[in-house]
Amino acid sequence: MKRVAFVHLQQTIQLDLPLAELKVLLGDEEGLLAQVGTDLMTCHCCGLPHNHAGDIDIHLDKDNCLILAQKCNFCGQGTCLGFVDTTDLHEWQHILRHLLQQQFGLNSLGDE
């Protein structure tokens, strides 16, 4: 299992879709994204746990793990982050790779 202390969002790729749509595409009936991602979001600046509200930015790191990000409601300075390790979720990895290909206009063969 991969663990991340802090993520540099500049080193990730942001997905252009809302969290609700991602939950449907991944088939997250057990609520893993909420339990591990949004419910455990904390601010890297003030360290307070964050109750997400509104839009959450969805990022992927180089291993296709999910990083959920939102501006902190408490300090207003930092970014609250949630991390979901998908390295052992092979079906999710496949779906996330496909979403990246679609976002960048690549077909199933990897051609533009």
Side-chain angles (χ1 to χ4, degrees):
M1 174 180 261
K2 180 178 173 179
R3 297 192 187 272
V4 171
F6 182 74
V7 175
H8 296 283
L9 293 178
Q10 299 85 358
Q11 298 173 354
T12 65
I13 298 172
Q14 184 172 351
L15 289 179
D16 292 332
L17 74 157
L19 184 61
E21 187 176 331
L22 181 64
K23 288 178 183 181
V24 171
L25 292 172
L26 294 176
D28 185 24
E29 291 90 23
E30 292 84 28
L32 181 65
L33 285 176
Q35 292 173 12
V36 177
T38 57
D39 290 352
L40 298 178
M41 291 176 82
T42 55
C43 178
H44 77 277
C45 184
C46 67
L48 293 173
H50 178 69
N51 293 328
H52 71 283
D55 293 333
I56 292 180
D57 295 330
I58 302 166
H59 297 261
L60 293 175
D61 69 4
K62 64 180 175 60
D63 297 321
N64 278 345
C65 291
L66 290 164
I67 297 101
L68 307 174
Q70 189 174 47
K71 188 163 182 78
C72 182
N73 292 335
F74 298 112
C75 70
Q77 306 269 331
T79 302
C80 296
L81 298 173
F83 177 76
V84 180
D85 181 5
T86 62
T87 54
D88 292 332
L89 302 171
H90 302 292
E91 187 174 313
W92 282 25
Q93 286 272 310
H94 177 72
I95 293 167
L96 292 170
R97 277 192 293 276
H98 182 70
L99 288 172
L100 279 176
Q101 289 174 347
Q102 282 186 326
Q103 182 168 315
F104 291 107
L106 302 175
N107 67 17
S108 61
L109 298 175
D111 298 329
E112 289 190 31

